[in-house]
Amino acid sequence: MNLFVLTAVVVVIAMLGLWLLSLRLKDASIVDIFWGLGFVLIAWTSFALGYGYRPRRLLLCSLVTIWGVRLALHLWRRNHGRPEDYRYAAMRKRHGAQFKWVSLGLVFGLQGLLMWLISLPLQLAQQAILPWELTWLDWLAVGVWLTGFLFEAVGDWQLQQFKADPKNRGRVLDQGLWRYTRHPNYFGDAVVWWSFWLFAVAVGDGLFSMLSPLLMTFLLLKVTGAALLEKSLAKTKPAYKAYVARTNAFVPWWPKQSR
């Protein structure tokens, strides 16, 4: 059976199982925690079924695993002990008894489809026979991944430390990486996916798989990431407007008053 069909089947089974668990827990938020782990599952499934250059496949799977496990642990620590995310809680209230079926399609089904589409570079890079060596593009991908991973992990850590201090309630984080971009964690996440795409470029599958980083960057900027968060922060933090005026939205750069 085709690799892409098998990974799709794995995703369907995983999301169905996760949906059933969410019904038992009465919490659809678990889908967010599984997001990174889903890519880890797809990567290692592709590794088991692939036949490309083994060191490249191991390197790619290792990077995906580090990224995905860190993200899952971060979201689990953030959400542990808290009620269901407000987005899903609002859907639950709006749809009532039909929410379980709505969540199957619009939450778990949709995220599963996006996960499979975005994972295309992870699948393509592991089934290409040539080149039978690590090229400069592979090493460039590692460097880009490290840059993105540090922005994402350090950005999340700085925000976590900031929120943990009661004195910062109502204030805006504008220090560390957050001085240069309003969303260092989302920027880092996007860069990580451009690095995974470079692995596909290294094996000659860059054109088709470019959908992956483009889609992920669009989601982070316009759908689930920066746009959604900024709409909320603009309403709850008066100082956020001034922060927006002086700080780049996504790509890091010097604050405007320092130029």
Side-chain angles (χ1 to χ4, degrees), residues 24-234:
R24 182 177 180 83
L25 298 176
K26 296 182 179 179
D27 186 357
S29 303
I30 59 174
V31 73
D32 296 335
I33 298 173
F34 183 74
W35 176 251
L37 298 178
F39 291 107
V40 176
L41 178 62
I42 293 172
W44 285 106
T45 300
S46 301
F47 178 85
L49 301 172
Y51 42 78
Y53 184 52
R54 187 178 178 87
R56 175 180 294 106
R57 295 192 293 134
L58 279 173
L59 176 60
L60 177 55
C61 284
S62 298
L63 297 181
V64 174
T65 301
I66 294 170
W67 169 81
V69 170
R70 187 217 70 88
L71 180 59
L73 287 173
H74 168 70
L75 293 176
W76 179 81
R77 284 194 296 264
R78 190 185 71 182
N79 296 345
H80 184 62
R82 295 184 177 182
E84 185 177 47
D85 184 279
Y86 73 94
R87 296 167 297 167
Y88 307 125
M91 288 180 63
R92 185 182 297 277
K93 182 178 180 180
R94 184 164 62 250
H95 295 285
Q98 297 302 312
F99 174 74
K100 63 180 180 181
W101 302 114
V102 173
S103 69
L104 175 60
L106 292 183
V107 178
F108 294 87
L110 180 58
Q111 286 210 24
L113 175 60
L114 289 172
M115 188 183 298
W116 184 83
L117 287 173
I118 292 170
S119 70
L120 286 176
L122 311 183
Q123 301 182 60
L124 289 167
Q126 301 207 56
Q127 66 173 354
I129 298 177
L130 297 175
W132 203 253
E133 61 180 354
L134 291 175
T135 70
W136 67 272
L137 279 168
D138 294 300
W139 296 117
L140 176 62
V142 173
V144 173
W145 178 89
L146 183 60
T147 301
F149 183 78
L150 287 175
F151 263 92
E152 184 175 7
V154 173
D156 280 338
W157 179 80
Q158 289 176 342
L159 182 60
Q160 184 181 13
Q161 296 298 112
F162 181 81
K163 287 183 174 181
D165 188 344
K167 292 184 295 185
N168 292 326
R169 189 179 302 274
R171 296 176 57 195
V172 174
L173 173 57
D174 60 357
Q175 301 298 316
L177 295 178
W178 298 81
R179 181 171 182 261
Y180 305 100
T181 165
R182 303 200 297 272
H183 303 284
N185 46 356
Y186 294 146
F187 168 76
D189 199 350
V191 171
V192 163
W193 279 96
W194 283 102
S195 78
F196 293 152
W197 173 70
L198 284 174
F199 280 102
V201 175
V203 300
D205 285 315
L207 183 60
F208 177 63
S209 61
M210 188 182 287
L211 170 68
S212 166
L214 287 174
L215 180 55
M216 179 62 90
T217 303
F218 173 76
L219 290 174
L220 290 168
L221 271 172
K222 301 297 184 181
V223 184
T224 62
L228 191 65
L229 180 61
E230 294 212 337
K231 188 180 295 185
S232 172
L233 290 174

